């Protein structure tokens, strides 16, 4: 079982967000802003899945999950809260969140479905988040230093995503979720997640007036496919999920552990 603590991040989310807060780079800023827009609705779904999955466990199995589920819910609830404040600033910049209503519509289709489907969807998304998080922690300099507060927010979120990457997966397995459905949902979620990310990033760039600038596309190419590129470096860990014997724990979490130790003064532990 993973020991999960809830941390209150000591950052000021009241101060406005600059138009190109991420290293002055329009593409990277638009991409991160897009991801932030997905969190409040997505993370609520993850919380509900994990809570309902926990309730569906036989009582003798619940005990071993209780503390971890509580930690998971606390962490995701804190992420939601801060990203909602973040998204409030984006709205003031004129950006429109199209991702959230689309996700809400899709999630309505899940009403009444077996909780293992919810957990397979959550585990797939959490795998995405965990590999993205690990990559971000290892390439933290790419967040730039224009807004140290937002850089800290992304790294803290990343560290906790990496920390709780097992929870939904383990619950899915404890409830007898099978390999075939896990893979089926993972393939679907990959298409949905990438599609939504591209659509919202393009929408943010269009609103920002930087969609058709050469510098935007140049930055996208190097950030995604360059030597330290996001797609280039996360493709293998993405693919690992397809293995029958895969478990999220097989992926190294040392970048997360290191960040949490080195940045202790940036957060307060809740309830301790
Ligand atoms: Fe999160
Ligand atoms: Fe998460």
């Amino acid at each position: 079982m993973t020991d999960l603590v809830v941390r209150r991040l000591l950052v000021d989310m009241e101060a406005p967000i600059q138009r190109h807060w991420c290293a002055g780079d329009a593409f990277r800023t638009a991409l991160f802003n897009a991801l932030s827009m997905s969190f409040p609705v997505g993370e609520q779904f993850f919380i509900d899945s994990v809570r309902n999955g926990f309730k569906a466990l036989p009582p003798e199995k619940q005990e071993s999950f209780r503390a971890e589920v509580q930690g998971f819910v606390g962490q995701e609830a804190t992420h939601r809260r801060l990203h909602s404040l973040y998204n409030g600033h984006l709205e003031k910049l004129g950006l429109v969140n199209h991702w959230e209503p689309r996700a809400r519509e899709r999630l309505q289709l899940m009403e009444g479905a077996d909780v293992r489907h919810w957990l397979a969807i959550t585990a797939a998304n959490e795998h995405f988040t965990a590999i993205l998080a690990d990559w971000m922690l290892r390439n933290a300099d790419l967040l730039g230093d224009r807004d140290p507060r937002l850089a800290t927010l992304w790294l803290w979120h990343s560290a906790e995503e990496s920390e709780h990457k097992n929870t939904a997966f383990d619950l899915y397995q404890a409830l007898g979720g099978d390999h075939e459905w896990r893979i089926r949902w993972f393939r679907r979620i990959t298409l949905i997640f990438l599609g939504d990310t591209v659509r919202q990033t393009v929408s943010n760039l269009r609103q920002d007036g930087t969609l058709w600038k050469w510098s935007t596309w140049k930055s996208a190419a190097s950030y995604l496919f360059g030597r330290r590129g996001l797609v280039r470096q996360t493709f293998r860990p993405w693919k690992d999920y397809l293995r029958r014997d895969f478990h999220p724990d097989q992926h190294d979490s040392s970048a997360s552990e290191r960040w949490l130790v080195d940045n202790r003064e940036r957060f307060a532990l809740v309830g301790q």
Side-chain angles (χ1 to χ4, degrees):
M1 292 298 112
T2 318
D3 231 351
L4 299 175
V5 289
V6 180
R7 303 172 182 87
R8 188 164 56 82
L9 196 62
L10 306 173
V11 292
D12 170 22
M13 288 308 291
E14 297 301 321
I17 287 179
Q18 290 176 49
R19 197 172 140 228
H20 293 156
W21 66 265
C22 186
D25 185 299
F27 172 74
R28 278 186 254 167
T29 303
L31 173 66
F32 285 120
N33 289 348
L35 293 172
S36 180
M37 288 169 167
S38 78
F39 291 142
V41 61
E43 293 181 315
Q44 187 58 53
F45 179 79
F46 307 158
I47 290 173
D48 294 341
S49 305
V50 162
R51 268 201 187 127
N52 293 335
F54 175 75
K55 282 188 209 149
L57 284 172
E60 66 277 11
K61 276 195 183 171
Q62 281 187 348
E63 229 22 70
S64 62
F65 273 99
R66 191 178 301 278
E68 183 176 346
V69 164
Q70 214 169 25
F72 177 94
V73 170
Q75 289 191 343
E76 293 293 33
T78 316
H79 302 166
R80 281 191 81 235
R81 203 168 47 245
L82 290 201
H83 279 279
S84 299
L85 295 170
Y86 178 148
N87 296 347
H89 291 300
L90 299 183
E91 231 173 87
K92 286 188 198 130
L93 288 174
L95 301 180
V96 182
N97 188 344
H98 301 291
W99 191 331
E100 181 165 322
R102 229 178 9 246
R104 273 192 204 292
E105 235 171 77
R106 271 197 306 258
L107 292 178
Q108 263 175 10
L109 303 173
M110 296 307 298
E111 285 306 328
D114 188 298
V115 72
R116 283 172 294 190
H117 288 306
W118 288 50
L119 281 168
I121 293 172
T122 301
N125 275 293
E126 289 280 283
H127 182 62
F128 257 98
T129 335
I131 60 178
L132 174 69
D134 187 63
W135 178 85
M136 203 183 280
L137 287 161
R138 291 174 195 281
N139 293 281
D141 58 306
L142 299 178
L143 288 164
D145 50 15
R146 282 209 179 183
D147 192 333
R149 162 197 59 159
L150 287 190
T152 301
L153 170 80
W154 280 104
L155 296 172
W156 156 78
H157 193 165
S158 294
E160 292 194 346
E161 286 306 323
S162 185
E163 193 178 38
H164 72 221
K165 62 187 174 185
N166 296 341
T167 310
F169 191 97
D170 285 342
L171 271 172
Y172 177 72
Q173 295 209 313
L175 285 162
D178 67 19
H179 176 74
E180 280 65 35
W181 273 109
R182 175 167 79 74
I183 300 307
R184 218 170 279 158
W185 277 118
F186 183 59
R187 291 189 192 280
R188 262 182 231 177
I189 292 304
T190 296
L191 293 178
I192 293 172
F193 182 80
L194 294 181
D196 279 337
T197 305
V198 170
R199 285 171 80 173
Q200 189 63 53
T201 303
V202 166
S203 159
N204 292 352
L205 286 169
R206 187 175 287 129
Q207 176 66 35
D208 183 46
T210 43
L211 178 59
W212 297 114
K213 280 199 171 164
W214 171 241
S215 55
T216 302
W217 290 81
K218 207 172 135 210
S219 162
S222 94
Y223 196 63
L224 300 175
F225 305 106
R227 198 169 47 82
R228 295 162 70 196
L230 174 58
V231 175
R232 181 190 277 225
Q233 293 200 354
T234 55
F235 177 70
R236 276 177 67 171
W238 170 83
K239 210 168 150 225
D240 286 344
Y241 196 85
L242 300 170
R243 284 203 329 257
R244 191 168 281 275
D245 64 349
F246 174 76
H247 187 277
D249 233 5
Q250 292 160 357
H251 284 168
D252 174 57
S253 319
S254 58
S256 155
E257 288 155 20
R258 211 163 36 239
W259 191 89
L260 291 169
V261 170
D262 293 348
N263 293 276
R264 256 186 249 122
E265 76 291 350
R266 296 178 195 260
F267 51 78
L269 300 180
V270 177
Q272 300 211 346

